Amino acid sequence: MNWLLVALGAAVGAPLRHLTDRAVRARHDSVFPWGTFVVNVVGSFVLGLLTGVASAQAQLLLGTGLCGALTTYSTFSYETLRLYEGGAKGYALLNAAGSPAAGLGAVWLGAEAAGLL
């Protein structure tokens, strides 16, 4: 039964990642991968929030399933490499340092917010 919760969450998270990335890219004409940045930071915040308030089943559905499919380390890595190889070394460095820092900050804020609930 646990695998079904993860699969259901992932079935929502993956399309949500795609749609969010498209929406962000449509609003920002930049070489920087803002869509991936946004989904990773939002997913980190949600995961931090869930860890303090969600049941084990909700953590499987929303944490492992939804957040796992919403966020993407592989795309972050690929886009950082693509920026570097394309000559946007400053953006590559910003992405390589800024995305993990923002994600860590967001998960911490989520966990702190959960503590207030």
Side-chain angles (χ1 to χ4, degrees):
M1 176 67 173
N2 289 343
W3 66 269
L4 185 57
L5 291 172
V6 173
L8 289 172
V12 174
L16 187 57
R17 173 179 49 174
H18 175 71
L19 293 172
T20 302
D21 184 55
R22 287 184 61 187
V24 170
R25 277 200 262 162
R27 288 170 178 74
H28 294 282
D29 185 25
S30 172
V31 71
F32 189 81
W34 286 110
T36 302
F37 183 86
V38 167
V39 296
N40 285 342
V41 172
V42 169
S44 295
F45 177 80
V46 170
L47 190 58
L49 185 63
L50 289 171
T51 59
V53 298
S55 68
Q57 288 79 20
Q59 287 184 11
L60 287 171
L61 175 71
L62 301 171
T64 304
L66 179 87
C67 291
L70 176 66
T71 61
T72 172
Y73 187 76
S74 58
T75 302
F76 153 74
S77 300
Y78 173 72
E79 288 173 343
T80 303
L81 178 64
R82 195 174 64 193
L83 286 169
Y84 183 84
E85 290 178 343
K89 292 181 169 84
Y91 281 128
L93 181 60
L94 177 64
N95 198 38
S99 288
L104 287 169
V107 77
W108 178 82
L109 285 174
E112 289 295 312
L116 298 175
L117 298 176

